[in-house]
Amino acid sequence: MPKSVVRDLKERCDLPGLLFLAGHVAALVAGGWLIHQSLGTWWVVPATVFQGIAIVCLFAPFHEASHHSAFRSEWLNTVTLWLTGLLLLNHPTRFMYAHVNHHAFTQDLALDPQNLAHAENSGNWLRYASGFDILALYLRMQVLFLSPRTVPAAASVYLPREKVMRTVWECRTFWLVYLTVAAVAVSLQSWAPVIYWLLPRFACEWFQSTIRLSEHVGCDYRGDIENRTRTVLTMPPVRWLCWNMPYHVEHHAFPNVPFHRLPALHRHLRGGHVHVGRGHIRTAIGQLTAAPREEGAAPPETSA
């Protein structure tokens, strides 16, 4: 691609991120209203699913803010990273450094802490798609990062030693916020945090986990980045909820290109893709029916 095109695509802007974030917040408000209106009826189930999908897809702005490209203004990236991280139970610093390794060593079984090689097996694929593995990881991190003495050894693959205490203090800050919310809820005799946040968030992790599986499982472990990553051509609502991350080859090839420019980047790269999924459902079926590959091995950390 011409350098001038890449330079233009890399230009950051606050407005697209604010519009996407406002839409996401509107979806969360709508989901909360639907739950409130349906309490005591069976309609609370689809309302909870709607809210849960909106919550778990906050991983999209969380991820984009970790790249410092959701917004041009750095303070907006920082605030978004922290608020979405709190709702997802995902510490910003730990994720940022794990994700740097994911980009630098995509699909490397030893150095990519976010590789999902173990999901090449259909049984493990279903387990991860259920959301169990990632939720277990998030809950473990809330305990293990409370002290530098209990930080898991696997974190040393990506987390610099000088950043360990920063992550520990983030974990402690998270607990302070969670305990404050719990204390207020108890004092008001309210189950609101459980009904509108925790229950939907835990019930719908399967949605985000399945999307995450589509990005790399079944791709190669060697070669250029287009060999190790998959773009999924999906429905506009899903693409919007995921902040264009289904354009995943594009994101890995040019990680400094902001999310709102990925559709344009896709048009420039069209024809240069090795792995393209035609929707997440068809991609999932293809992954489940593919023969297990011998390269599959447990990664150092089933991270996100």
Side-chain angles (χ1 to χ4, degrees):
M1 289 177 58
K3 290 183 179 180
S4 59
V5 174
V6 176
R7 185 173 58 250
D8 291 342
L9 289 172
K10 286 183 177 180
E11 186 176 352
R12 301 178 184 183
C13 182
D14 286 343
L15 184 58
L18 289 171
L19 291 174
F20 268 70
L21 192 60
H24 217 127
V25 171
L28 291 170
V29 172
W33 180 82
L34 289 172
I35 291 175
H36 179 73
Q37 294 298 314
S38 60
L39 287 174
T41 74
W42 282 106
W43 287 106
V44 75
V45 175
T48 298
V49 171
F50 179 92
Q51 176 76 336
I53 289 174
I55 291 174
V56 299
C57 284
L58 286 172
F59 180 78
F62 175 80
H63 160 267
E64 191 69 14
S66 77
H67 278 275
H68 306 279
S69 55
F71 308 95
R72 183 175 182 176
S73 301
E74 192 54 39
W75 72 271
L76 283 172
N77 286 311
T78 301
V79 169
T80 300
L81 186 65
W82 268 85
L83 291 180
T84 53
L86 277 164
L87 290 171
L88 295 169
L89 286 76
N90 204 347
H91 306 128
T93 297
R94 185 203 67 82
F95 173 79
M96 283 193 294
Y97 281 95
H99 199 63
V100 165
N101 264 38
H102 173 59
H103 274 273
F105 307 105
T106 305
Q107 294 282 79
D108 186 304
L109 298 177
L111 297 175
D112 179 2
Q114 296 177 344
N115 87 72
L116 293 171
H118 67 301
E120 300 286 356
N121 172 281
S122 59
N124 288 338
W125 190 99
L126 290 169
R127 177 188 169 100
Y128 189 88
S130 73
F132 177 85
D133 283 353
I134 200 64
L135 290 173
L137 169 70
Y138 288 162
L139 292 174
R140 286 199 309 271
M141 293 300 138
Q142 304 310 314
V143 177
L144 295 177
F145 277 90
L146 274 171
S147 167
R149 292 190 296 272
T150 56
V151 170
S156 64
V157 172
Y158 59 86
L159 188 64
R161 185 174 300 177
E162 63 271 18
K163 298 297 181 181
V164 170
M165 278 309 302
R166 176 175 174 176
T167 304
V168 167
W169 280 110
E170 286 178 356
C171 182
R172 292 171 180 176
T173 303
F174 272 33
W175 271 106
L176 179 62
V177 174
Y178 297 149
L179 291 174
T180 300
V181 170
V184 172
V186 169
S187 67
L188 296 175
Q189 298 183 330
S190 171
W191 286 92
V194 175
I195 295 171
Y196 299 102
W197 167 39
L198 290 176
L199 181 59
R201 191 263 173 277
F202 282 91
C204 293
E205 178 57 39
W206 58 268
F207 186 87
Q208 183 61 47
S209 291
T210 303
I211 288 174
R212 193 174 294 117
L213 285 163
S214 74
E215 296 168 350
H216 299 284
V217 172
C219 297
D220 302 320
Y221 292 92
R222 303 174 188 87
D224 294 332
I225 196 63
E226 63 266 24
N227 296 97
R228 293 175 277 141
T229 312
R230 178 184 293 104
T231 279
V232 179
L233 305 178
T234 188
M235 299 180 292
V238 176
R239 197 164 59 241
W240 173 78
L241 270 174
C242 296
W243 288 48
N244 288 325
M245 276 305 112
Y247 291 123
H248 213 62
V249 171
E250 291 77 4
H251 172 63
H252 268 263
F254 296 92
N256 290 328
V257 171
F259 74 98
H260 62 277
R261 301 293 283 161
L262 291 180
L265 178 57
H266 174 74
R267 291 190 290 272
H268 282 284
L269 297 180
R270 189 174 295 165
H273 297 72
V274 175
H275 301 286
V276 178
R278 304 290 174 177
H280 285 97
I281 294 177
R282 290 175 65 179
T283 300
I285 293 172
Q287 290 173 335
L288 278 170
T289 56
R293 298 193 293 177
E294 292 300 322
E295 294 99 322
E301 177 183 346
T302 307
S303 185

